[in-house]
Amino acid sequence: MTLRAVVQGVGHYLPERIVPNSEFEKTLDTSDEWIRARSGIEQRHFAAEDEATSDLATYAAQAALKSAGLTADDIDAVIVATSTPDLTFPSVATMVQDKLGMTRGFGFDVQAVCAGFVFALTNANALILSGQAKRVLVIGAETFSRIMDWEDRSTCVLFGDGAGAVVLGAEEGTGDTSDRGILSADLNSDGRYRDMLYVDGGVSTSGTSGKLRMQGNLLFRQAVEKLTTTATNALEKIGLSDDDVSWIVPHQANIRIIQGTAKKLGVPMENVIVTVHKHGNTSAASIPLALSVGVEEGKIKPGDLLVTEAIGGGLAWGSVVLRW
Ligand code: UT7
């Protein structure tokens, strides 16, 4: 028998306030038409002033626990993927522990920007396989609206706020790729590309939290190639190919990147979960949000083979192959 980290529950939370593209036409030289055509985004959610990342994360975690039929008492560890924490420290994960009423176990944050959920999932898998934890809440939660430069039309129209979560639990498998759970992962980063996407402030430099800066066009050119390679690597590690894939659950940055990657992987768009039109780019939250919406819409079903892939600041990129 082989130990596997299996998704036992999934949930998400989106802030109440929905902002359509037309809202930006009032203050910027932009249009609904440009935003839709270049990114596929139609609207995004923005957190209320008194809503912090840990609030969004907690609501998503509660939804995931409910779908798993579990309570916080059943959880050994909380991992939050985020680049927009409430405070410099402590971690958002420890705040989520407190808000859930957890008084045992441990929590920490993972910072790999838009690829954060893929990195967090891989860490959670390692904790489970090494026996450190039996059940892990893995959350992606972001309030990117807090790091937008509202005068920069090339970035502020693209991002949104939200959170998604999964409960990952230890289960016995047979050791082959028919098992449910995480089957393979491929992680990468390369700091030479850091100027393509970064925030221009921080604790040990400016002493401010800073604003997001992006060379979108350069990043776009890296994205499709690196996402295709990482997804192919993760599949090949376990002897699978694009033919075996039920769903690609990609990071939701741009519909053209999602389409380009699916095409290169040879997976039709009918087998890709798309939420970018409704959520915008929610960074580390985008994959768990897409997982949750995909299940809610009746698309993702037990036994399906999923490939998640993401790229973002760092650059950091990677993919996880799992059977739902
Ligand atoms: O989540 C992390 C990963 N993120 C990504 O992977 C994002 C990757 N990049 C992208 O998604 C795309 O590059 C963008 C959506 C950011 C931009 O699309 P693009 O087709 O690469 O456009 P561009 O940057 O080449 O800009 C084309 C034109 C420029 O004008 P000129 O120089 O051709 O006159 C921009 O100034 O569009 C202009 N522009 C806008 N026009 C209207 C840029 N932003 C806007 C805007 N409204 N909001």
Side-chain angles (χ1 to χ4, degrees):
M1 295 301 261
T2 306
L3 204 56
R4 295 288 193 191
V6 177
V7 175
Q8 298 177 331
V10 62
H12 72 269
Y13 172 77
L14 288 159
E16 212 173 298
R17 183 176 165 217
I18 296 172
V19 177
N21 291 344
S22 55
E23 197 107 341
F24 294 99
E25 294 174 351
K26 296 175 193 161
T27 52
L28 292 169
D29 179 16
T30 189
S31 63
D32 174 41
E33 196 190 355
W34 189 96
I35 301 167
R36 276 176 202 253
R38 296 296 178 118
S39 71
I41 297 165
E42 296 167 14
Q43 61 170 56
R44 74 285 294 138
H45 293 247
F46 284 156
E49 264 176 46
D50 61 353
E51 261 181 333
T53 297
S54 66
D55 296 315
L56 275 53
T58 303
Y59 299 142
Q62 285 164 337
L65 284 170
K66 192 172 173 205
S67 99
L70 299 168
T71 72
D73 293 339
D74 301 307
I75 301 299
D76 303 315
V78 179
I79 305 179
V80 177
T82 189
S83 301
T84 46
D86 299 29
L87 302 173
T88 301
F89 73 77
S91 64
V92 174
T94 55
M95 297 179 189
V96 171
Q97 273 189 300
D98 180 41
K99 287 178 185 184
L100 291 176
M102 271 175 76
T103 52
R104 61 168 202 94
F106 60 96
F108 62 94
D109 292 356
V110 164
Q111 209 271 53
V113 204
C114 298
F117 190 75
V118 166
F119 279 64
L121 213 49
T122 308
N123 269 281
N125 183 47
L127 288 174
I128 287 174
L129 299 192
S130 66
Q132 290 291 318
K134 283 203 168 64
R135 272 208 196 90
V136 186
L137 254 174
V138 190
I139 307 168
E142 302 277 20
T143 47
F144 260 49
S145 62
R146 306 275 155 77
I147 52 166
M148 289 298 112
D149 174 351
W150 299 111
E151 289 175 5
D152 179 6
R153 67 176 184 172
S154 71
T155 54
C156 74
V157 302
L158 301 173
F159 293 88
D161 301 338
V166 299
V167 177
L168 214 53
E171 292 184 20
E172 293 287 352
T174 59
D176 67 32
T177 57
S178 67
D179 285 348
R180 293 187 63 215
I182 294 180
L183 301 175
S184 174
D186 179 67
L187 302 182
N188 312 268
S189 58
D190 188 339
R192 286 175 301 169
Y193 297 110
R194 68 180 221 184
D195 288 347
M196 280 187 198
L197 177 54
Y198 66 101
V199 170
D200 65 2
V203 183
S204 73
T205 50
S206 64
T208 63
S209 51
K211 300 293 176 204
L212 182 143
R213 307 292 169 206
M214 181 167 76
Q215 296 175 276
N217 204 289
L218 292 181
L219 181 50
F220 192 101
R221 276 183 251 154
Q222 292 288 332
V224 174
E225 189 217 314
K226 287 189 161 43
L227 291 171
T228 307
T229 305
T230 186
T232 305
N233 285 348
L235 284 165
E236 281 178 355
K237 278 184 194 179
I238 47 170
L240 298 180
S241 74
D242 48 288
D243 289 341
D244 301 299
V245 175
S246 314
W247 296 102
I248 298 181
V249 188
H251 170 48
Q252 312 278 326
N254 186 316
I255 190 66
R256 293 185 294 138
I257 294 175
I258 295 171
Q259 288 165 338
T261 308
K263 193 173 171 194
K264 272 195 135 184
L265 286 169
V267 175
M269 280 305 288
E270 300 90 79
N271 297 91
V272 181
I273 304 291
V274 176
T275 54
V276 68
H277 56 303
K278 296 274 182 234
H279 303 166
N281 182 347
T282 58
S283 184
S286 89
I287 288 177
L289 268 164
L291 285 171
S292 183
V293 169
V295 170
E296 207 171 69
E297 289 179 348
K299 290 178 176 164
I300 299 171
K301 297 195 179 68
D304 285 351
L305 188 85
L306 273 49
V307 177
T308 64
E309 33 90 341
I311 186 165
L315 296 179
W317 68 101
S319 65
V320 167
V321 177
L322 70 153
R323 196 171 291 286
W324 198 253

